Amino acid sequence: VDCGGPDCPACPTCDDGILNGNETGVDCGGPDCAPCSGECTTQLINSNDFNSSYGIWNDGGSDCTRSSAYADYAVGGTGAVVRLRDNSSSSNMTTDDLNLIAYQELTVDFTYVASSMDNPNEDFFLEISTDGGASFAQVEEWNLDDEFVNEVRYFETVTIPGPFSANTQIRFRCDASSNTDYVYIDDVSISGCVQGVGSRLSKEVPAVLSTKEIIRTVGLYPNPTRGQITLSFVMQEAAQVQLRITDISGKLIRQEAMQIDEGTQQRELNADHLSAGVYFMHIQSKDQIITKRFVVIQ
């Protein structure tokens, strides 16, 4: 569809050196190509929308709060969200000890909105400990005016390579300058790769056929979802777009082609027929493919 011939891009093949089509790695994986060497099986370890409890997460103290009073910063504007502030010893939330020895790689998905951060040195971190919290190593950092601006929602996917231990902890930590500097965190899911590390898809995967980018600011929420999921994106110009949903093995679940106008777009998709697990949403124009990862829970 929309490929091949003199006027369209070449159709995806299993030897074109590009991650495209239903492949899960470059020229491998999915229903049409040979399996990727050491391709992983992804398992959902935990997910939490924080509406009812912290779950496996623990608040660090007075500078960490889970509350529905901040619902404006929750996905969809309803429910509870975790707020971190300041840069004190309590400006964090940390998981319980997790036995992750079996996993070669972790993926942490979450969404956040920062508010009232007021200088470039204000940021927050994702950190990991493999010694039960005695020490933490920084995995990723988000800085004001670099990775984010205030009052804008972001969706993040972070991959953490192993090895891991039987008392692994994951921590979000705020590094602001006062009690009036905030980051609101919601919809955190942790998944793990077993049976070898495969080709990973993170953030907006650059499976791009050319350099012309007309699809931007792609978001999927709520993520994880129990049913309905909203896809939002911005079109720089009107174009035909194909939406595809695949499972972790690359099997095609849903496909739809449509003509999209310029501007901000939002589409409601029904995911309640999907089994619990990890899926990928592929948004493709003539010159661009963006892939977003989402989790379905029961």
Side-chain angles (χ1 to χ4, degrees), residues 198-229:
S199 178
R200 306 302 302 158
L201 300 173
S202 64
K203 298 189 179 180
E204 295 186 358
V205 178
V208 180
L209 303 179
S210 80
T211 58
K212 187 175 183 181
E213 296 185 359
I214 64 170
I215 307 171
R216 296 190 176 179
T217 321
V218 178
L220 276 178
Y221 58 89
N223 188 10
T225 179
R226 288 184 171 86
Q228 203 78 1
I229 190 166

Side-chain angles (χ1 to χ4, degrees), residues 78-97:
T78 60
V81 66
V82 175
R83 187 192 72 179
L84 302 179
R85 66 183 185 183
D86 206 359
N87 64 344
S88 73
S89 61
S90 66
S91 302
N92 62 81
M93 68 171 181
T94 309
T95 65
D96 299 333
D97 280 348

Side-chain angles (χ1 to χ4, degrees), residues 166-183:
N167 57 345
T168 298
Q169 296 182 8
I170 297 171
R171 181 170 75 178
F172 285 96
R173 181 169 64 87
C174 187
D175 181 35
S177 60
S178 76
N179 281 343
T180 58
D181 302 317
Y182 310 115
V183 59

Side-chain angles (χ1 to χ4, degrees), residues 216-243:
R216 296 190 176 179
T217 321
V218 178
L220 276 178
Y221 58 89
N223 188 10
T225 179
R226 288 184 171 86
Q228 203 78 1
I229 190 166
T230 299
L231 168 66
S232 63
F233 56 97
V234 175
M235 294 290 293
Q236 300 296 104
E237 61 185 58
Q240 185 162 14
V241 171
Q242 185 179 84
L243 302 181

